[in-house]
Amino acid sequence: MHLFLASLFSLAEVLSFPFPAALVQGPDGHSITYVLNENGIRSIWFANAPQYVPRMLWSSGKDDGQEITSLSISKDEKYVVYVRGGAHDSNWVTHPWPNPDNSPTEPQVQLFSIPTAGGTPKMLADGDFPAISPDGTTVAFVHDPDSSVWSVPIDGSKTASRLFFDRGQDSELTWAPGGKALAFTSDRGDHSFVGVYRNADTAIEYLAPSTSRDFSPLWSPDGARIAYLRIHGEGGPPESPLTGHPLPWSIWLADAASAHAREVWHSGNGLRDSLPGIKGPQLNWVAGSNLIFISEQTNWEHLYEVSASGPGRAARLLTPGNFTIEDTAISPNLQTIYYTADTGRTPGDDDRRHIFSVSAGGGAPVEVTHGTNSEWWPAATDEGVAYVQAGAQVPTTIALNGRTLDADRIPRDFPTASLVVPKEVTFHAKDGTLIHGQMFDASGGAAKKPAVIFVHGGPPRQMLLTWHYFDYYTYAYAENQYLASRGFVVLSVNYRLGIGYGHDFHHPPHAGPAGASEYQDVLAGAKYLANDPKVDAKRIGMWGGSYGGYLTALALAKNSDIFKAGVDWHGVHDWTMFPEWYGNTAQQRYQDFDRKAFLKTAWLSSPDAYIASWKSPVLLIQGDDDRNVRFHQTVDLVQRLRVAHVPYEEYVIPNDIHGFLRWHSWYEADSQTSDFLIRHLRP
């Protein structure tokens, strides 16, 4: 008997991890709230000073797939407001809303409030993206389905009504500190404005309206000014998707009384100067009437501070070093900035997350957390900082200042001690690019093992040496652990296009439809495995989802001699099916743009172009309500595989989306994946 079989655990056990889907601080820094997903049962939790003992406010009671999002706490801490339903990972076609539970009643996206002292949730209206007024009595929100702004009493004592008329698609609602005005973004298609609504008798003011796209309004602490972001409007001469193009941006500041606005900072015009695309600049006010933001101008996403007294003031770098900042939070007194970064003093920290702090006035950053765990999503309180944490073996929990608040939510039969601790590995692609990966390998067994390469989606993602902060990759981490327990060596490859290794790594030339340069990183991973004495080079497979599904299909199509089986979750198979990427209007078609050259490159970067050499068996998995990668990508591929007599299997989940909404969908997809790989690579 192989040693790795001595401590087997079931797939259901390793997928039983609790997952916090959000962590939000209260406006005064004395409370936190979060969503917990346990085997598909979503619940809302609340904890406040001084003890911060979490208590459940509400539970769905079943795995119905209806998301809980947009949590916020009223200033008096009497209510938590949230949205139930919808799917925030959807990129196209919002209606009808997802129905992953196959309910005969059409789901709605609805706004709720619930008393923190306990009680029944109150459905306030159909809508999303709530903003609680500073006095805690009113909730402004974006009404479904017309994206207009409505309001409703937080206790539901009156029916919701439209707050004002605006011609655009409204979003990003934010109250002035005194509650006398509401700023918002008005999207007009090819341009957008920042508007300010005051009352029914006062005309809406638009701040320095132009042909640009203005967004992310942010009131100053005293309510006298509004900061916001600006990028150029859409249009202009067509640009080839075969090369990168900078997206310069600027920070503007408006006087709230006069609506007069001016620029206080602008980026350069190089590729690294572009608007950060992962979580945006995260513009925020800090003490001293200064603004902080994230920029990649030095190749790394870092925090900068600029005086609101501009214009023309230079921005000061707050966080030097070769690492990426991902999440930020500001202390209630505006003096301290908390942030997460992939750096630290423990070997392998470039594949973890830790929390740091830096003074708004500058100075050396301070390490708040360290070690072999990862920590993310800081929520600043007067008592310190709350966050989510996870280890290589211990799944996600909530912590405050190093104290775990909800360890009791980890199931007693969760196989913590049976999980492997992944090892960080590095190797070089054919062009010399350094690639990082995580190796999952359970000890034991004299015979050579089958191996599997896992590739993430996105592609702006980074797989870690610990459980992950995205639910999608938490399920993937569990699947990789399960495969390792069944005798596989698993290599998770952080290929170029991903995050965590600088702007240039994230934006490489000739990637995706412009040449698939990232595929050489997959081949380098296979070569690394083949040179491992524990691995049987004749039994290497591959699996991945979304962009990882694309790379899995590309590997099977181009190199069935290397990859003997694969599982493709909702991957892209034909880049030419995305005309919106290379222009489809009459203006773009007839202006100076070599569409033919792009289409040829996009096709030759697609798995469909290599069906003739695809020999290895594949399992295709997708929800048919996928709103990120159209289901037709899989429907079309199946017909091509059928005609070419390539062995394939399929597992289709009716009514579920790209990032599956039900735990049962994840369980079935993971079960199908491991079963397929075991049958084909470890008979």
Side-chain angles (χ1 to χ4, degrees), residues 357-590:
S357 68
V358 65
S359 171
V366 176
E367 185 181 58
V368 177
T369 67
H370 67 274
T372 57
N373 285 352
S374 285
E375 301 86 20
W376 58 83
W377 294 346
T381 73
D382 277 340
E383 292 75 21
V385 61
Y387 49 86
V388 181
Q389 62 183 1
Q393 296 172 301
V394 179
T396 47
T397 54
I398 303 291
L400 174 70
N401 297 336
R403 176 172 64 93
T404 301
L405 303 183
D406 64 340
D408 60 321
R409 304 312 301 179
I410 300 175
R412 291 185 177 181
D413 60 352
F414 188 82
T416 300
S418 299
L419 302 184
V420 302
V421 177
K423 180 179 70 172
E424 183 183 44
V425 298
T426 58
F427 45 89
H428 288 87
K430 186 177 180 179
D431 66 355
T433 302
L434 179 66
I435 305 300
H436 288 244
Q438 301 82 39
M439 183 82 83
F440 298 74
D441 181 18
S443 61
K448 287 193 172 186
K449 298 180 179 182
V452 175
I453 285 180
F454 168 73
V455 276
H456 63 75
R461 305 285 185 266
Q462 182 187 23
M463 298 302 98
L464 308 178
L465 291 166
T466 63
W467 290 86
H468 207 270
Y469 53 91
F470 280 171
D471 60 350
Y472 192 112
Y473 299 109
T474 300
Y475 286 106
Y477 185 89
E479 173 74 353
N480 289 336
Q481 288 279 1
Y482 183 75
L483 289 171
S485 77
R486 262 54 186 179
F488 287 86
V489 174
V490 182
L491 175 61
S492 176
V493 175
N494 281 341
Y495 56 91
R496 72 191 75 187
L497 282 174
I499 63 172
Y501 311 107
H503 177 277
D504 298 345
F505 188 90
H506 179 36
H507 299 275
H510 311 300
S517 62
E518 68 279 16
Y519 179 59
Q520 60 188 304
D521 306 341
V522 174
L523 289 176
K527 182 178 180 180
Y528 182 88
L529 285 174
N531 290 330
D532 189 321
K534 299 186 298 296
V535 171
D536 183 350
K538 296 181 179 180
R539 291 189 291 159
I540 295 177
M542 190 162 165
W543 84 280
S546 193
Y547 208 96
Y550 156 66
L551 287 174
T552 297
L554 193 63
L556 298 174
K558 297 188 73 171
N559 288 108
S560 282
D561 57 325
I562 298 174
F563 302 98
K564 301 303 182 181
V567 183
D568 164 5
W569 291 29
H570 39 238
V572 171
H573 309 123
D574 183 354
W575 286 120
T576 69
M577 290 186 184
F578 294 88
E580 62 269 26
W581 289 4
Y582 52 87
N584 200 34
T585 67
Q587 176 194 23
Q588 291 166 321
R589 281 197 299 270
Y590 297 110

Side-chain angles (χ1 to χ4, degrees), residues 87-217:
H88 283 214
D89 73 341
S90 301
N91 288 344
W92 57 274
V93 188
T94 54
H95 289 83
W97 297 112
N99 184 26
D101 199 28
N102 305 328
S103 172
T105 302
E106 182 179 347
Q108 303 297 322
V109 175
Q110 296 177 319
L111 180 67
F112 289 83
S113 68
I114 186 169
T116 57
T120 303
K122 179 76 173 181
M123 201 284 281
L124 302 179
D126 292 342
D128 204 347
F129 308 111
I132 305 175
S133 62
D135 64 5
T137 63
T138 304
V139 181
F141 63 95
V142 177
H143 185 254
D144 177 45
D146 59 3
S147 296
S148 58
V149 179
W150 288 43
S151 67
V152 63
I154 198 169
D155 60 3
S157 57
K158 293 182 181 179
T159 303
S161 60
R162 189 167 189 168
L163 190 59
F164 60 84
F165 166 77
D166 175 68
R167 189 172 65 84
Q169 299 287 301
D170 297 335
S171 63
E172 299 184 313
L173 314 181
T174 175
W175 290 95
K180 300 297 185 181
L182 184 75
F184 62 98
T185 297
S186 176
D187 187 350
R188 307 297 178 94
D190 58 359
H191 66 288
S192 61
F193 303 141
V194 168
V196 178
Y197 166 79
R198 298 187 182 281
N199 55 60
D201 299 320
T202 304
I204 293 173
E205 296 172 314
Y206 297 100
L207 309 181
S210 71
T211 61
S212 298
R213 285 177 285 174
D214 296 342
F215 56 100
S216 296

Side-chain angles (χ1 to χ4, degrees), residues 238-423:
E239 297 176 325
S240 172
L242 295 175
T243 58
H245 303 280
L247 180 59
W249 57 289
S250 57
I251 299 173
W252 282 63
L253 191 64
D255 180 84
S258 67
H260 173 73
R262 57 183 173 82
E263 181 186 278
V264 295
W265 179 88
H266 65 269
S267 72
N269 293 314
L271 287 173
R272 291 179 176 179
D273 297 301
S274 298
L275 183 77
I278 302 171
K279 294 191 175 181
Q282 300 185 49
L283 183 68
N284 242 313
W285 288 93
V286 293
S289 294
N290 290 340
L291 291 160
I292 60 110
F293 61 92
I294 288 177
S295 168
E296 292 181 287
Q297 58 190 270
T298 64
N299 189 44
W300 301 94
E301 286 193 294
H302 279 301
L303 278 169
Y304 293 80
E305 186 175 35
V306 66
S307 170
S309 301
R313 299 291 181 93
R316 178 173 51 144
L317 175 63
L318 296 177
T319 55
N322 294 343
F323 55 84
T324 295
I325 290 177
E326 199 160 28
D327 297 301
T328 59
I330 311 300
S331 64
N333 64 8
L334 306 183
Q335 297 284 350
T336 304
I337 307 159
Y338 295 98
Y339 61 91
T340 59
D342 55 348
T343 188
R345 50 186 154 121
T346 305
D349 274 345
D350 47 2
D351 285 351
R352 297 188 186 95
R353 295 289 185 272
H354 293 308
I355 294 175
F356 299 80
S357 68
V358 65
S359 171
V366 176
E367 185 181 58
V368 177
T369 67
H370 67 274
T372 57
N373 285 352
S374 285
E375 301 86 20
W376 58 83
W377 294 346
T381 73
D382 277 340
E383 292 75 21
V385 61
Y387 49 86
V388 181
Q389 62 183 1
Q393 296 172 301
V394 179
T396 47
T397 54
I398 303 291
L400 174 70
N401 297 336
R403 176 172 64 93
T404 301
L405 303 183
D406 64 340
D408 60 321
R409 304 312 301 179
I410 300 175
R412 291 185 177 181
D413 60 352
F414 188 82
T416 300
S418 299
L419 302 184
V420 302
V421 177
K423 180 179 70 172

Side-chain angles (χ1 to χ4, degrees), residues 8-29:
L8 287 182
F9 49 85
S10 71
L11 182 60
E13 286 173 337
V14 76
L15 291 178
S16 67
F17 54 82
F19 185 79
L23 176 62
V24 178
Q25 66 204 49
D28 276 348

